[in-house]
Amino acid sequence: MSLSETFDWRVTPAAVWRRHRSGLRAIRRLDPVQWGDLTGIERQQQALARNTERFLCGEPSNNALLWGSRGTGKSSLIKALLNRYSDRGLRMIEVDKDDLVNLPEIVDDICDLSFRFVIFCDDLSFDVGESGYKALKSVLEGSLELPPENVRVYATSNRRHLMPEFMSDNLKSGVRDGELHPAEAIEEQVSLADRFGLQLSFYPFSQDVYLQAVDALFPEVADRDSLHREAIRFATGKGVRNGRTAQQFYRHVSGDGQLVK
């Protein structure tokens, strides 16, 4: 039986691969994050929206890698993308890194459907000795068979090149005839990330951007000065300012009557 034969993709915007059942399961409770809920990442939003709209229209488009600091909105951006474009035929399949060996089979099953599919790989990275990236490479650029026109891969990662980078690898590089020749290990590290034509970087929030995210979560609070002092104190305690910290601050104090007035 086809992996998606039991799916009615007309009413199923997203699914996740479950290894124990060797098949897809419809996602019943989608994250409701909306496009307008995101702050501080307007440049990345614009670039990813443009690429996705081209994909939905059947125009040339790229696989996308969203990389950078933790908690800065990479995963939220892709979730909001689905909520924004599902009515235009965008569908999403989430595949864990450890299940990428099944990716060619998943893609084979959806390549002839009329919908446009994004394969979502969250928090993607590979350690030394792992081989799952080889299946990903074949889907990104094909092998003897071209990759399907109705499938793109959108991945998030804290690593720019998806692979670990070691000082010893750089020491193995050399200069010949005045040209730098990277070691084979570095070439292997870079080759996977190079297959993502669209690469968007995410950096820690400045204090102003962090407070903008806090303000968006507390539109009813009149005393902004007190709110900002508490938000800065909370972020200082965690040692990081980002969208995730703003969300955690909201959950921490949203029921505090001293702030929500």
Side-chain angles (χ1 to χ4, degrees):
M1 178 181 292
S2 171
L3 294 176
S4 63
E5 187 174 319
T6 59
F7 278 76
D8 184 354
W9 286 107
R10 293 171 299 179
V11 297
T12 304
V16 60
W17 174 266
R18 292 302 190 206
R19 73 185 71 172
H20 69 276
R21 61 191 294 178
S22 296
L24 297 172
R25 177 183 69 76
I27 294 178
R28 305 180 185 93
R29 298 173 61 245
L30 285 175
D31 190 317
V33 60
Q34 297 298 310
W35 197 254
D37 296 339
L38 306 176
T39 58
I41 53 172
E42 290 76 14
R43 172 184 61 85
Q44 296 90 333
Q45 282 182 278
Q46 183 179 8
L48 193 62
R50 181 178 182 274
N51 188 70
T52 303
E53 288 173 2
R54 290 177 63 84
F55 174 50
L56 292 173
C57 292
E59 300 174 359
S61 60
N62 283 304
N63 301 295
L65 173 62
L66 285 60
W67 67 272
S69 300
R70 66 189 189 277
T72 49
K74 301 183 295 294
S75 301
S76 294
L77 179 53
I78 294 180
K79 296 171 186 177
L81 193 78
L82 176 62
N83 292 329
R84 190 184 197 199
Y85 291 109
S86 61
D87 289 344
R88 292 179 53 179
L90 181 66
R91 297 295 181 263
M92 198 167 287
I93 298 176
E94 184 172 2
V95 180
D96 187 79
K97 179 195 73 172
D98 294 333
D99 297 323
L100 286 174
V101 292
N102 300 294
L103 193 54
E105 185 178 6
I106 296 172
V107 170
D108 282 348
D109 199 53
I110 61 178
C111 64
D112 294 325
L113 301 181
S114 60
F115 294 96
R116 296 272 167 172
F117 290 88
V118 164
I119 304 295
F120 175 33
C121 299
D122 197 21
D123 197 19
L124 183 64
S125 65
F126 297 94
D127 293 322
V128 175
E130 290 186 304
S131 59
Y133 69 91
K134 295 180 180 179
L136 179 59
K137 278 185 175 181
S138 68
V139 172
L140 290 171
E141 285 197 348
S143 50
L144 187 60
E145 182 179 27
L146 289 172
E149 288 298 321
N150 71 328
V151 177
R152 292 294 180 269
V153 176
Y154 285 7
T156 70
S157 181
N158 295 332
R159 290 174 174 171
R160 181 176 185 176
H161 293 144
L162 301 175
M163 308 280 283
E165 300 178 53
F166 300 103
M167 178 63 72
S168 58
D169 295 333
N170 289 309
L171 295 176
K172 295 175 184 177
S173 299
V175 177
R176 294 191 292 274
D177 298 325
E179 294 184 353
L180 177 65
H181 292 266
E184 290 183 2
I186 295 179
E187 292 283 2
E188 180 72 7
Q189 291 163 1
V190 175
S191 67
L192 176 59
D194 275 352
R195 286 168 166 77
F196 291 91
L198 177 62
Q199 298 189 20
L200 300 174
S201 55
F202 291 71
Y203 298 98
F205 285 7
S206 67
Q207 182 164 292
D208 287 344
V209 172
Y210 168 66
L211 293 177
Q212 288 175 17
V214 170
D215 285 340
L217 294 168
F218 293 90
E220 75 284 6
V221 174
D223 188 351
R224 292 284 149 181
D225 290 339
S226 295
L227 176 67
H228 289 177
R229 281 196 300 270
E230 291 300 322
I232 292 170
R233 184 178 295 114
F234 185 84
T236 301
K238 288 185 60 65
V240 62
R241 291 189 302 256
N242 55 36
R244 180 178 297 152
T245 301
Q247 287 281 351
Q248 291 171 344
F249 173 69
Y250 171 78
R251 291 192 290 268
H252 180 67
V253 304
S254 60
D256 190 339
Q258 297 300 313
L259 280 176
V260 184
K261 287 186 178 179

